[in-house]
Amino acid sequence: MIDTPTRERAEAARGDRHLIPVPRDPRAPYRAGSWTVIIAVLLVLHLLAFQATDFKPEALVTGATGMLNFLSEAFPPDLSPEVLQQGIEGALTTLWIGLLGTTVSVPFALLLAVLGARTTTPNSVVYQIARGILSFFRAVPDIVFALIFVTAVGLGPFAGVLALICHNTGVMRKLWSEAMEDIDPGPEQALRTAGASRWQIVANATIPTVLPQLTGLLLYRFDVNVRSSLVLGLVGAGGIGLLINKAIKTFQFDEMLTYLIIILAVIVAVDLASAWIRKRLQ
């Protein structure tokens, strides 16, 4: 009979024979060197950015008195009926600008998303043209579009709607085309095998498959556009942003605070409604 220590040593020896040595990765030193270079470059870039932007946190301390004076003049907010009425009307206008800027851009964004996705547009020339057009609309900020349209159609919310339509079309094209490129190709291949045309495949396979994702992205953009329409009002595109700009220029900081509270309530309501709709789509 083999004693217990001898048996354990024999089992350990048999186990050692089954161990496979892990080979050392020859690229490990190069990866470590690459990360070192990347971190060093990022540090240098941040140092340059701090210098270029005159980043001085101590300025907040020295300017604390001015900030306190500003806040003391803003509190309490002006809750007079006239100011509340103007703020509610301006907030609704801001909401309508964001709504129209989102929904009116849908057909343009959808068409260009189909033309700008590789899975739905095999023609490379059409694909590059669609991407070029939408890259321009996406690259130009909405506030620049607002300044352009203010000079064309005058001050007011219509300029803000046009600005959001142009910018949102470019952004939605990118988001939607990427969603179309990531779907399961099975339904499309089945219709293609059955002899369906390309537009029939898009209408009956691509869009129905990706529709919940497209709707979720559209709701996200609606949230963003409502906030953007507030900023567009600062350059004359209407809405409550115009009232905030006017209140700041006339040093009516209590009115400004009232308008900010109103638009905060509107944005929270939009967020809750969008979250509720997205939950129902899942």
Side-chain angles (χ1 to χ4, degrees), residues 109 128 151 171 212 231 236:
Q128 293 298 336
T151 60
V171 176
V231 180

Side-chain angles (χ1 to χ4, degrees), residues 41-250:
V41 170
L42 287 175
L43 289 175
V44 172
L45 291 176
H46 279 78
L47 290 175
L48 294 175
F50 285 141
Q51 294 178 357
T53 57
D54 199 18
F55 190 87
K56 296 179 180 179
E58 62 273 12
L60 290 173
V61 178
T62 57
T65 303
M67 295 175 61
L68 292 175
N69 292 334
F70 176 82
L71 294 175
S72 63
E73 294 180 8
F75 284 94
D78 188 351
L79 301 178
S80 61
E82 181 181 358
V83 173
L84 286 175
Q85 181 180 357
Q86 290 180 352
I88 293 173
E89 292 177 353
L92 289 176
T93 301
T94 297
L95 181 63
W96 305 147
I97 294 173
L99 177 64
L100 292 179
T102 304
T103 56
V104 177
S105 65
V106 167
F108 306 107
L110 184 59
L111 175 62
L112 291 170
V114 172
L115 297 176
R118 293 187 182 275
T119 55
T120 55
T121 304
N123 191 312
S124 60
V125 176
V126 175
Y127 171 78
Q128 293 298 336
I129 292 176
R131 285 181 62 89
I133 294 174
L134 272 302
S135 295
F136 168 76
F137 284 123
R138 184 166 52 91
V140 178
D142 47 14
I143 194 169
V144 175
F145 278 122
L147 291 171
I148 295 173
F149 285 118
V150 162
T151 60
V153 301
L155 299 173
F158 183 45
V161 173
L162 294 176
L164 286 182
I165 289 173
C166 291
H167 185 70
N168 193 66
T169 299
V171 176
M172 289 307 305
R173 196 285 310 171
K174 176 178 174 58
L175 297 175
W176 282 358
S177 62
E178 290 179 351
M180 292 178 184
E181 291 176 349
D182 293 337
I183 64 174
D184 181 11
E188 295 180 346
Q189 292 175 357
L191 288 178
R192 189 177 296 109
T193 303
S197 65
R198 180 154 301 279
W199 290 106
Q200 288 175 330
I201 295 174
V202 171
N204 295 284
T206 305
I207 294 179
T209 302
V210 79
L211 185 59
Q213 188 174 357
L214 299 186
T215 306
L217 292 171
L218 183 65
L219 291 172
Y220 163 72
R221 284 301 305 173
F222 175 58
D223 291 346
V224 174
N225 286 336
V226 171
R227 293 171 174 80
S228 297
S229 59
L230 169 64
V231 180
L232 298 183
L234 299 177
V235 296
I240 198 170
L242 186 62
L243 297 176
I244 294 175
N245 189 26
K246 179 182 176 182
I248 293 175
K249 288 183 177 180
T250 56

